[in-house]
Amino acid sequence: MTTTPRFTGENPVLKFDKLDVQFRTEFGTVHAVKGITLSVEPGEVMALVGESGSGKSVTATTALGLLPKTARIQGDTRVTDKSIGQLSGRQLRSLRGNRVAMVFQEPMTALNPVITVGEQLTEAMEVHGVAFGRDAWDRAVDLLNAVGIPNAERRAKQFPHELSGGMRQRVVIAMALACDPDVIIADEPTTALDVTVQAEILDLLRSLKDKLNTGILLITHNMGVVADMADNVAVMFKGTIVERGPVEQVLLQPQHPYTKRLLAAVPRLGEGHGQFGVAPNPVEPTAEAALDVRDLVVEYHRAGKKPFRAVDGVSFDVRRGEIVGLVGESGSGKSTIGRALLGLIPSKSGEVRVLDQNLLGLRGHELKSLRKRIGVIFQDPAASLNPRFPIGDVIAEPMSVHKVGNAKEREARVHELLDAVQLPRSVYNRYPHELSGGQRQRVSIARALSLSPDLLVADEPTSALDVSVQASVLAMFTELQREFGFACLFISHDLAVIDSLAHRVVVMQYGKIVEKGTREDVLLHPQEEYTRRLLAAAPVPDPIEQRERREARYELLKELGDEVVELDTRELDYDARGPRTES
């Protein structure tokens, strides 16, 4: 494939020239970035791709002058005509936000929780001398309007916790725009978002670079986002750039083995079972139900307010040996159902039969006995594993609680489980913080299987993992399900993951089921509007196909009467601010 480059690197707004970063630690020197050269031009989206630990975020942080004093930096980093290494602290503060801005991965940590959204926007403008007082407030409201936040005047007076995740991310983008920067660094800007909100944020960023000619350095490990957004791609591995080029060339004709491995690990919507070399066993339609949920209602009570109904009359079942995918966006009630099935939160009404026993009617010893037959895998292994327990004790804890076997038998069972989840037995005496994220999730799976459960509830078990780690965990999970034959309720918002392993799919919105059926019926031939929206918003790692999918999504939104998200530059008056003043 031959492509004529739109961007030549001759007029960069951000350039790393032979950047080399090393960190001094108590255990020696860590060589994080190894002499990379990379540039971003006005109007260009350069995607910096790689897994955790590859050096992406360290590279980006260098452009803001925010690396700690333990970092030894060599080479040159330039933002427009300014060399970062030659600037004083005052000059760096003037540069940040003014010439180079950052959109962080998690907006709740990027926003001050005790200051209103409008005040945070005006603060940035007043610090950089863009606008003051009422003018700054009016411009803050204009910025919120520009990024598509409705009722901007009212929203500007609210605190971050009063906004949804998608709105918070829009606020962060508005803050990045406040001083009209030349380049924006977007560090995993959509990782924490639902698929439809992610599509809207990507539309907004695309509109931003097209209309304002802003350069964007996009840091991500999501190949679908790269295909949707990037003009050019640089692939990082262990601190070096191993491949670079136009997005079509890198994603469709990868040359480096690492790039090929990354792309091969991406689950693809529509390809179904067996994507990672192993497919779940087929399930007989006559198989008995391991889980049967009927008219489940869960409510949260708030002081002085009407109860909030998080789950409203939900009914579905999971047969023995079957994986049922429960999908939907944040707030749809997925995780609430999972917690209710585990007895961790009370249910207002309905019936939950687990292995033909009514879970909601059991108490004391009977409930504990039934819970022994249910395993659970949580989303964040770092939060669900006891940091004071070595791995052997973490996995053996359920057996200790339920008084299964003696110490020697429990140790032998733990070793069996470590083999099953493909971890070396040497981790037995190590602690959770000594393992990687993927290894900790394998420990979580081993712990969930320690009592040989008949039913497993998996709540977003791979969402926090890198793509290749996710692929290996999903392959291992499928092999374990084939071997142990447990029924599984797999909760996720990633439709491609569900497509790769589920037998049936249940789609939820606002606490209700909107569609359910076989994987083929729901994911390939959706009937309901909401399911069609979800599927249309899911990106694929093929830039040509993704372009077609994006156009098809726009047509669907028009058909359904929705507006396509765009940056409204009419709300922004950059000419009023005059020339830049930098110390």
Side-chain angles (χ1 to χ4, degrees), residues 291-300 309-317 326 332-354 358-361 489 491 508 510-513 516:
L291 171 67
D292 192 8
V293 180
R294 289 286 172 263
D295 301 318
L296 180 66
V297 175
V298 180
E299 290 184 346
Y300 291 107
R309 183 162 288 194
V311 178
D312 189 3
V314 165
S315 299
F316 65 92
D317 66 331
L326 186 62
S332 63
K334 308 185 306 295
S335 294
T336 300
I337 287 177
R339 288 194 285 269
L341 299 183
L342 297 166
L344 298 178
I345 56 175
S347 303
K348 182 177 187 294
S349 62
E351 185 177 28
V352 177
R353 299 194 71 82
V354 178
N358 184 6
L359 177 72
L360 304 184
L489 179 66
I491 301 169
M508 290 195 66
Y510 302 139
K512 295 177 180 286
I513 291 176
K516 60 182 176 180

Side-chain angles (χ1 to χ4, degrees), residues 411-531:
E411 182 179 350
R413 175 65 174 159
V414 170
H415 284 143
E416 288 176 16
L417 289 164
L418 288 173
D419 292 340
V421 298
Q422 300 162 23
L423 283 175
R425 293 190 176 190
S426 59
V427 306
Y428 187 95
N429 291 313
R430 293 167 68 184
Y431 287 84
H433 73 271
E434 297 180 88
L435 306 184
S436 69
Q439 288 176 320
R440 285 197 292 263
Q441 196 61 288
R442 289 170 186 263
V443 171
S444 296
I445 294 171
R447 180 181 60 180
L449 296 176
S450 61
L451 294 172
S452 301
D454 296 290
L455 173 66
L456 195 64
V457 177
D459 187 3
E460 301 270 14
T462 62
S463 64
L465 304 179
D466 285 323
V467 62
S468 62
V469 179
Q470 172 183 267
S472 63
V473 168
L474 288 174
M476 180 203 67
F477 183 87
T478 309
E479 287 175 354
L480 292 173
Q481 199 270 340
R482 287 171 62 97
E483 179 183 348
F484 291 95
F486 51 80
C488 178
L489 179 66
F490 197 100
I491 301 169
S492 180
H493 68 265
D494 191 326
L495 298 172
V497 167
I498 293 295
D499 187 34
S500 71
L501 54 80
H503 297 93
R504 286 188 293 147
V505 180
V506 177
V507 183
M508 290 195 66
Q509 182 187 27
Y510 302 139
K512 295 177 180 286
I513 291 176
V514 296
E515 188 165 359
K516 60 182 176 180
T518 65
R519 178 188 59 81
E520 294 87 349
D521 287 344
V522 175
L523 298 184
L524 301 183
H525 309 288
Q527 301 300 309
E528 298 299 321
E529 174 187 309
Y530 177 67
T531 313

Side-chain angles (χ1 to χ4, degrees), residues 105-113 159-163 168 172:
Q105 177 175 354
E106 178 46 67
M108 262 318 262
T109 58
L111 297 173
N112 191 325
F159 292 91
H161 73 270
E162 297 180 87
L163 306 181
R168 286 196 292 263
V172 172

